[in-house]
Amino acid sequence: MQKLAKRAAQAQRQATRRARQQMEREKIDHRMRNRQALRSAVSEVWQNLKDARQARKEDWEMGPLAPKRDLGFNNYGAFRETARQDWTNHGLHQARPQLIEKRCAWAGGAGQLNLAPQDRVVIMDGPDKGKIDRIRDVHPENGTVTLENHHRALSVGLFDGPARSQAMPISVGSIRLVYPLRNPEIGVTRDVIINQLKAVPPNMQSPNMSLDRWQYGRKWDRLVPGLNVVIPWPEVQAPVFETMKCDTVREQVEQRTFYYGLLSPPMPDQVLDELRNKYSRFRTRHEPWYIKQKEMEEAAKKGRLEATRSMQTPLAEFHERRREVRDTLGEPELSEDMLEKIGEYMAKKRDAALSQGGVSEVSSRAPAS
């Protein structure tokens, strides 16, 4: 059984090493592909700048005879797919964790981002500064969102197709939540820009929180720290699914079809063989008959070794008896005479080394000046 356990452990180490090497190769390939894409995006930006300078020169020199570039058929001012990626992590698609946390700091952090689709937000910077729009998609892995109407650009695509309006990702740090709040002093309700949100555990008595939400995984309230006001989540319509013949309904899933006692396994042996490979090298639990078979093989192997040991030469028997005698004597101990002789030999070697170096014993023991 020790051989089986050793074989399974060795197979596990080999599989782990191969998986780690495969991950390293994929990481290198991913970095090289992103480096090429980044180089292509930079060259595209430089080409766009060059075209813009040429267009400005033609408009100035030709006047009314300048070509009409804004008609839409020549993809003027459109970007390709490579120029719309997020290159904030030195060419990788995923931004750095520090940058993501900095983007999402005002909204509770990337782990508990207090933003959801259909939230009304205001753009704080860029060409669309001051405009209010609704969130279409949230990307917490990069700390960005896409809006429904604003922050868009013309995109050509990979195969130079017709230009289309494409929503561009915008950083969470460049937007703020907009929600109507009532001013208790003047009694007027108006839109207010929320500059900070905090995630708090749900209050069982709060009517703004629903514990049975099916989407977004939101199991907390979003609170405005300065006002202690809970901002409700957007309304979500649960989808209606139609059951087909190939679907397994919930009643069939919850129906009990297998009964077992305390002395039987939790599922049939055939199911266990399907879940774990019966002949896998990584298997560590075996059937009793298999364990008994391996023990019998080990016993037979040991018996063969004993039989081989009985057929020894006289010299091998002599060496074996010497080893047995040495084992019975135990560890050797130094006597008084042996320690005295060792001390005399050490003193003799020390005097010889001092005389060879031209230093006497008295001068060697004298204190340093």
Side-chain angles (χ1 to χ4, degrees), residues 229-280:
V229 176
V230 175
I231 306 298
W233 296 99
E235 293 292 336
V236 178
Q237 298 294 333
V240 179
F241 298 100
E242 183 180 357
T243 304
M244 302 297 179
K245 292 184 178 180
C246 60
D247 296 333
T248 303
V249 297
R250 185 170 182 176
E251 290 78 6
Q252 296 177 357
V253 175
E254 296 179 349
Q255 184 181 1
R256 184 175 181 180
T257 57
F258 180 69
Y259 297 88
Y260 58 92
L262 296 178
L263 300 180
S264 62
M267 57 186 68
D269 296 337
Q270 295 81 4
V271 179
L272 291 176
D273 292 337
E274 291 179 2
L275 294 177
R276 62 182 187 190
N277 188 5
K278 188 176 182 179
Y279 306 101
S280 175

Side-chain angles (χ1 to χ4, degrees), residues 2-205:
Q2 294 180 357
K3 185 177 180 181
L4 292 177
K6 183 179 179 181
R7 184 181 66 182
Q10 183 180 4
Q12 186 69 28
R13 290 194 298 269
Q14 293 175 354
T16 304
R17 184 173 64 253
R18 286 195 296 268
R20 183 175 63 253
Q21 293 175 355
Q22 181 66 21
M23 290 178 60
E24 291 176 356
R25 287 194 295 268
E26 291 179 356
K27 186 177 180 180
I28 293 173
D29 295 341
H30 184 70
R31 189 183 299 114
M32 293 181 64
R33 288 194 301 268
N34 281 280
R35 187 180 294 117
Q36 295 175 0
L38 179 59
R39 190 181 298 113
S40 175
V42 172
S43 63
E44 180 184 348
V45 171
W46 279 107
Q47 185 64 34
N48 291 339
L49 292 175
K50 184 178 179 180
D51 296 342
R53 295 192 188 99
Q54 182 67 23
R56 182 180 59 188
K57 182 179 179 181
E58 291 177 356
D59 292 342
W60 177 263
E61 293 179 353
M62 301 177 65
L65 300 178
K68 301 295 184 182
R69 303 181 182 88
D70 55 350
L71 297 181
F73 60 88
N74 53 2
N75 295 332
Y76 180 74
F79 286 93
R80 296 182 180 272
E81 295 291 338
T82 55
R84 296 193 303 104
Q85 298 179 2
D86 188 4
W87 305 102
T88 53
N89 197 19
H90 306 290
L92 298 179
H93 288 293
Q94 180 122 15
R96 296 187 299 271
Q98 298 84 355
L99 179 60
I100 297 175
E101 289 296 331
K102 184 178 180 180
R103 291 176 176 176
C104 306
W106 73 270
Q112 289 184 324
L113 188 61
N114 295 308
L115 293 176
Q118 299 303 317
D119 273 336
R120 297 174 65 239
V121 294
V122 59
I123 303 175
M124 303 300 293
D125 52 14
D128 297 328
K129 181 178 180 181
K131 296 181 180 179
I132 297 177
D133 200 351
R134 289 188 180 273
I135 297 178
R136 190 181 68 178
D137 295 315
V138 181
H139 308 284
E141 64 276 3
N142 289 329
T144 58
V145 299
T146 55
L147 306 178
E148 292 183 352
N149 301 320
H150 298 93
H151 200 74
R152 307 176 70 89
L154 290 177
S155 176
V156 177
L158 297 177
F159 303 102
D160 294 334
R164 64 187 185 276
S165 179
Q166 182 75 22
M168 300 285 288
I170 183 173
S171 172
V172 176
S174 299
I175 60 174
R176 291 295 184 270
L177 183 66
V178 176
Y179 189 77
L181 295 179
R182 183 176 181 274
N183 192 341
E185 297 180 357
I186 60 178
V188 177
T189 302
R190 58 182 180 180
D191 288 337
V192 177
I193 297 177
I194 308 298
N195 290 319
Q196 187 177 3
L197 289 172
K198 180 180 179 182
V200 296
N203 186 4
M204 300 299 293
Q205 300 178 356

